[in-house]
Amino acid sequence: MPGRECVVKGAPASRPVSNEPEDDSVLAFAVPGLDLRGRIVRLGPVVDEILTNYPYPESVARALGEGVALTALLGSMMTRHDRFQLQTRSDGAIDLLVVDYDPPGRLRGFARYEKEGEAPLGAPAELLGRGHMALTIENPEEDARHQGVVALEGEGLALAAFEYFRQSEQIPSFLRLAVAEVVEPRGRRWRAGGILLQFLPPRGASLIESTGEVPDSWNEGVALATTIADHELVDPSLSAERLLYRLFHERGVTVETARPLKAGCRCTDERVENMLKSFSSQDRADMVGDDGRIVVTCEFCNRRRIYDPAALD
C-alpha cells in the first residue's frame, strides 16, 4: 500500500515495513530526501546479560546500559576487522566504565563504582560526573590503534559523543539513548536502545564549514528525531523499521540488513592459563591465596577460574 513501504538497500524494489521486532540487532538506514544516514539499535537479552553479570545497583546498571547501546551504535560503524572500545574515567560515583565491541557484533562491558555505603543514586550523567571518554579503534590484523578523547562534562555519554562528532569529525549528529527494565513472564529484564542520526550530503562538511549554517534539511531531520520517546526505543513490540517509518515516511527511508549482536567475553580458559604461565614462579607464588589456589576473576563477565599453582609450572 502507498506510504507503507521502505526501500531495502540492494533490493530491486521497496517492500512493506516489517512489524517483526528484532532484539539484539543494529539497523543502518538512510533518508535520501534529507541527506541523512543513521543507525538504530535494539537490545534485549544481550544487555540484560551484561547488566546482570554483577549485582549492580539500578542506577549503575542504567549508566552501563547506555554505554552498551552507544558502543553498539559506534562499533557497528567500524570495518569488519576493527575492534572498538568505549571507556570513561571520571570523578563520579562510577569512576570507570568500559564496553568492548568485537566484530561482527560481540559486546561485553562492566562498570566500577564505590561499593561502600549506600548504593549511588542519580541519573547516569550524574553518576559519571566529570572526566573523559575515550573511543579506541584497534585492527589486530594491521596492528593499528587509533584513539579519540572527549571531555565528560557531567552531562552524560550521549552529549560527550555528540561533542566528539562535532569536534573531531565536524559532522552534525543527533543521538538518543534509552535504558529501562520491563516486566516479562520470567521476571524483570533490562532493555536498551539508541538512535544515531548524521547529516552527510555530498558536500555536507564543506558547506557547513564555509557558511557556518546548517541546512534546513538537517533541522527538519532533528525535529523529526526529537519526537522519539524513550519508551519507543526499548519497546519489545515495536520493530525498528516501524519506528523509522513513523519518523521519516514522508521523506522516504532505506534500510540495510539488520546486524545481529550478542554478549560474549574475550576471556577463555586457554588465555587465562597462558597469561598465568607468562608470570615468573615468584609472581605466581604471590597470587596464591590462603587455600593454596590462584583465583582469577574476569572483570567483564565475573567468571571465576581456580588454578593449582603446581599445574602452571
Side-chain angles (χ1 to χ4, degrees), residues 2 21 137 154 157 208 221 242 254 269:
I137 302 169
L157 297 177
I208 294 171
R242 177 56 59 186
T254 66
D269 293 343

Side-chain angles (χ1 to χ4, degrees), residues 66-85:
E66 286 193 2
V68 174
L70 177 56
T71 300
L73 288 170
L74 301 183
S76 63
M77 298 170 67
M78 305 298 110
T79 71
R80 60 191 180 94
H81 300 297
D82 289 340
R83 289 177 171 177
F84 178 82
Q85 182 183 82

Side-chain angles (χ1 to χ4, degrees), residues 100-256:
D100 287 338
Y101 175 98
D102 290 341
R106 185 174 64 181
L107 291 159
R108 67 175 187 170
F110 77 95
R112 187 176 69 190
Y113 65 99
E114 177 55 57
K115 298 180 177 62
E116 299 298 328
E118 297 182 1
L121 300 176
E126 297 176 64
L127 268 60
L128 289 170
R130 296 177 179 274
H132 70 265
M133 178 174 75
L135 306 177
T136 305
I137 302 169
E138 293 184 356
N139 188 314
E141 294 186 354
E142 300 177 1
D143 194 26
R145 186 175 186 270
H146 307 280
Q147 186 177 78
V149 179
V150 64
L152 276 173
E153 301 288 358
E155 297 181 302
L157 297 177
L159 189 60
F162 168 82
E163 286 297 316
Y164 172 79
F165 283 115
R166 186 182 68 83
Q167 297 173 15
S168 301
E169 302 189 16
Q170 298 182 331
I171 299 175
S173 303
F174 171 90
L175 179 65
R176 172 164 289 177
L177 305 170
V179 180
E181 275 190 296
V182 297
V183 179
E184 298 180 352
R186 296 174 298 166
R188 299 176 70 87
R189 295 289 186 271
W190 284 104
R191 295 186 61 81
I195 185 169
L196 172 65
L197 193 66
Q198 295 183 311
F199 180 67
L200 288 173
R203 298 184 301 110
S206 60
L207 173 66
I208 294 171
E209 289 170 9
S210 61
T211 66
E213 297 179 358
V214 177
D216 290 340
S217 58
W218 171 245
N219 291 328
E220 180 180 342
V222 171
L224 293 171
T226 54
T227 65
I228 300 173
D230 285 352
H231 69 83
E232 291 179 292
L233 288 173
V234 297
D235 185 347
S237 65
L238 176 63
S239 74
E241 287 191 10
R242 177 56 59 186
L243 179 54
L244 291 174
Y245 172 79
R246 287 180 182 178
L247 293 173
F248 304 116
H249 65 279
E250 292 185 355
R251 290 292 191 169
V253 59
T254 66
V255 298
E256 299 183 12

Side-chain angles (χ1 to χ4, degrees), residues 3-9 11 14-23 25-31 39-42 194-195 232-233 235 237-249 252-259:
R4 294 188 180 179
E5 297 180 338
C6 65
V7 176
V8 182
K9 186 176 180 181
S14 61
R15 62 156 171 77
V17 174
S18 173
N19 287 316
E20 188 66 29
E22 288 190 66
D23 268 353
S25 65
V26 59
L27 180 67
F29 66 90
V31 187
R39 289 172 182 268
I40 186 167
V41 63
R42 313 296 295 276
I195 185 169
E232 291 179 292
L233 288 173
D235 185 347
S237 65
L238 176 63
S239 74
E241 287 191 10
R242 177 56 59 186
L243 179 54
L244 291 174
Y245 172 79
R246 287 180 182 178
L247 293 173
F248 304 116
H249 65 279
V253 59
T254 66
V255 298
E256 299 183 12
T257 301
R259 180 181 299 186

